[in-house]
Amino acid sequence: TLQLFEEEVLPESADELFNDFFFNYTSDMNFKSQRQAYSLDCNIGDTVIKIHSSELGAYSELFVDDYYSIIYERNEDLSFQKDTSLNEVIVERIDLDGEQIEQYNFNRIEGKWMLTGVGRNEMDYNPNSDFLDFYKSFSSDSVYRKNCINEPLKFVLLSEIDDVEDEIQELTSDEWLAISADLPLPAGVMINIDYGQTIISKNSKLLLVEGVSNGLSLTYRFMKIEGAWNLVEVAL
């Protein structure tokens, strides 16, 4: 039998945390092809069909440039990122401009993370749809963004030393916009990872932006004030 390529062998530790696997999945085309199930569940609205892996071309290429995001509500939900017992994770490719979400379902099978299903739906059907509708304008319109910054904005510089307190500042919208000019704010298309975190609140969201192999970790806290979404805190 002609062996067209040898299966890439990764240490077992590369499949313990989903983030480690996902970095390899999005950066290595050969590895990606090895980690896609032959037959996948395909969800379109309420309909589920089976498709062959060769039909994945109808879906966008999962690609992470410099960072990805996590939408969550409770600080304790961040522990999912370090949970080695997880066996299911959903990655969302959110097209804010097109108001569509493509969903990629990953399962750990015999110790290896595999893409087992895909789906597509309108953004309105997502549990975070109200926030995403606001965030579409917040991320793309600088005038709108300035009007949605609560004053004073709480800005937290997190300490990396256990016995040193975090530095907390209070900023005006202009001060924050000047500081944030070089900080990432996902726009247009964002990659969001759902580890199974709680989605309950309609009035509070946290957006964690994590860098790929660069140590960046930036959290935006949004809250509804008098019925309108506002950015109330940033932690870096």
Side-chain angles (χ1 to χ4, degrees), residues 22-216:
F22 192 58
F23 171 77
N24 288 288
Y25 183 88
T26 56
S27 60
D28 187 328
M29 293 296 295
N30 185 39
F31 178 70
K32 179 182 292 187
S33 67
Q34 298 165 16
R35 292 302 184 93
Q36 295 171 349
Y38 181 79
S39 177
L40 301 98
D41 292 328
C42 178
N43 295 69
I44 303 177
D46 296 327
T47 304
V48 182
I49 61 174
K50 287 285 187 180
I51 65 171
H52 188 275
S53 58
S54 62
E55 298 177 79
L56 281 174
Y59 285 80
S60 303
E61 193 71 43
L62 258 187
F63 176 74
V64 179
D65 190 4
D66 296 319
Y67 53 83
Y68 58 87
S69 64
I70 302 168
I71 300 172
Y72 67 109
E73 295 170 7
R74 306 180 306 170
N75 287 328
E76 52 265 38
D77 282 348
L78 281 186
S79 63
F80 282 121
Q81 286 183 282
K82 304 300 181 184
D83 189 346
T84 58
S85 67
L86 286 179
N87 289 310
E88 180 178 0
V89 172
I90 296 172
V91 176
E92 296 174 329
R93 183 186 183 275
I94 304 174
D95 181 352
L96 294 167
D97 296 331
E99 299 186 356
Q100 278 204 339
I101 298 179
E102 291 183 345
Q103 178 176 304
Y104 301 80
N105 299 340
F106 292 88
N107 290 86
R108 186 152 47 184
I109 300 172
E110 296 181 354
K112 294 183 178 181
W113 285 104
M114 301 285 295
L115 177 68
T116 58
V118 292
R120 183 185 288 118
N121 216 330
E122 302 295 325
M123 201 164 72
D124 287 345
Y125 291 94
N126 189 273
N128 287 314
S129 60
D130 180 64
F131 171 72
L132 290 172
D133 186 54
F134 149 78
Y135 183 77
K136 173 185 175 181
S137 297
F138 181 87
S139 61
S140 61
D141 186 331
S142 59
V143 175
Y144 181 87
R145 178 160 60 246
K146 180 177 180 179
N147 292 331
C148 296
I149 297 175
N150 187 63
E151 292 188 316
L153 175 71
K154 185 178 180 182
F155 181 46
V156 183
L157 289 170
L158 300 174
S159 172
E160 297 181 357
I161 305 173
D162 292 339
D163 56 352
V164 176
E165 293 185 355
D166 299 335
E167 180 182 342
I168 300 175
Q169 302 177 22
E170 291 188 340
L171 305 177
T172 66
S173 58
D174 286 332
E175 288 172 334
W176 165 245
L177 291 172
I179 291 174
S180 64
D182 296 324
L183 294 176
L185 183 70
V189 172
M190 58 191 294
I191 300 297
N192 183 62
I193 300 182
D194 179 1
Y195 299 94
Q197 56 263 38
T198 303
I199 302 176
I200 297 175
S201 175
K202 302 295 184 181
N203 301 308
S204 177
K205 298 294 177 186
L206 292 131
L207 177 66
L208 171 65
V209 179
E210 290 233 308
V212 176
S213 300
N214 59 16
L216 172 71

